[in-house]
Amino acid sequence: MAAQTYLFPCLKDNFGVLIHDQASGATAAIDAPEAAAVEAALQKTGWQLGEILVTHHHADHTQGIAELKARHKCRVVAPGAEAARIAHVDDTVGEGDSVKVGGLQGRVIDTPGHTAGHISYFFPADKIAFVGDTLFSIGCGRVIEGNPEMMWHSLVKLRKLPDDTQFYCGHEYTDANIRFAKTIEPGNKALAARGEEVKKLLAAGKATIPATIGAEKAENPFLRADNPDVAKSLGLSGKPAWQVFAEIRERKNRF
Ligand SMILES: [Zn+2]
């Protein structure tokens, strides 16, 4: 049986998400931005929290852990490289490790750059990825602890996932990301169409994610830094892709 997910907004612009295995009844929360919001999602779905899969140590992804663990006795799985900065960790994981949510099998992908030990979780049978603050829809996370080359490499790893992979990110930033992306690729028709779609979703009070890797490859400038036309429009023809990525990231920081 397939995985089910339940997405919900929390804090100012964070997303929380649950993944549930229908066959076994097992449920995991991806990150714990806000205990009350996760609790409300569990009430609504009737699912029992067994695990929290943490992507990185930032407070807006971890501050609900203590309360949820106290109430549900759930296991906390976190990136090994950041375990010292995250309270109540039971298991540490890194590149290539498996995680299980009942019968659902996930794989850990190291995606450093936003933080030094950031990880993502990919469930290949259901083609679902949880990418935290590494990849956003039409954007990417700020490079805070790593460097642009590291972040570019992480994004390329996520770009290699199957095109029909649905990914869930940590924040609702899509609308602002699209406004910026249009400054990099004003002629990108797929991006323009996505802009219209996102406006409708937001007007209807809906989330703009999950998005697919395939669509992002056509629309997200941060995944297109190795496209010769993108490099050319930035005056960086012939430069390594990570340098083009660094320029796009820098422009976004100032946008
Ligand atoms: Zn973060």
Side-chain angles (χ1 to χ4, degrees):
M1 270 195 284
Q4 284 181 288
T5 55
Y6 183 80
L7 178 73
F8 51 96
C10 50
L11 301 175
K12 181 166 156 269
D13 49 31
N14 279 73
F15 282 123
V17 58
L18 304 176
I19 181 168
H20 176 73
D21 176 29
Q22 290 171 271
S24 66
T27 301
I30 311 305
D31 291 328
E34 188 183 19
V38 175
E39 212 57 67
L42 292 167
Q43 289 275 329
K44 181 124 186 169
T45 54
W47 299 343
Q48 296 271 336
L49 187 64
E51 269 135 326
I52 301 173
L53 306 179
V54 181
T55 61
H56 67 296
H57 70 82
H58 284 160
D60 65 323
H61 293 254
T62 57
Q63 62 199 0
I65 291 174
E67 202 178 321
L68 291 167
K69 189 170 171 69
R71 192 168 307 147
H72 299 279
K73 313 280 179 254
C74 50
R75 291 193 74 75
V76 177
V77 179
E82 298 188 355
R85 304 174 76 174
I86 302 167
H88 310 291
V89 173
D90 296 299
D91 298 317
T92 61
V93 291
E95 179 74 29
D97 285 343
S98 297
V99 292
K100 278 187 184 179
V101 180
L104 308 176
Q105 290 267 7
R107 175 162 60 82
V108 175
I109 305 171
D110 281 348
T111 49
H114 175 68
T115 61
H118 192 297
I119 59 173
S120 298
Y121 298 91
F122 176 53
F123 290 79
D126 291 282
K127 294 185 184 165
I128 294 171
F130 301 101
V131 301
D133 288 356
T134 298
L135 175 65
F136 293 130
S137 184
I138 320 295
C140 75
R142 282 178 185 266
V143 182
I144 298 172
E145 294 176 7
N147 58 53
E149 191 168 8
M150 186 190 281
M151 188 68 161
W152 167 248
H153 183 64
S154 294
L155 290 171
V156 168
K157 285 164 86 176
L158 296 176
R159 191 176 67 172
K160 285 179 184 158
L161 296 176
D163 278 355
D164 55 349
T165 301
Q166 297 203 305
F167 73 92
Y168 293 81
C169 54
H171 293 271
E172 178 60 272
Y173 289 158
T174 315
D175 186 48
N177 287 342
I178 288 173
R179 275 187 276 123
F180 169 73
K182 285 177 173 173
T183 70
I184 302 294
E185 288 197 283
N188 185 326
K189 290 195 173 71
L191 175 63
R194 180 72 166 279
E196 293 308 311
E197 188 191 322
V198 161
K199 273 198 191 84
K200 280 182 202 150
L201 286 169
L202 292 173
K206 292 181 179 161
T208 64
I209 67 160
T212 66
I213 293 293
E216 295 294 313
K217 280 156 80 169
E219 299 159 11
N220 185 333
F222 294 99
L223 295 187
R224 295 170 56 76
D226 53 356
N227 179 306
D229 294 335
V230 172
K232 191 177 173 195
S233 74
L234 298 172
L236 294 171
S237 286
K239 297 288 185 198
W242 72 264
Q243 283 185 21
V244 180
F245 166 78
E247 172 65 19
I248 300 171
R249 189 57 258 181
E250 192 49 42
R251 289 185 185 208
K252 176 68 166 68
N253 293 347
R254 296 193 304 259
F255 183 70

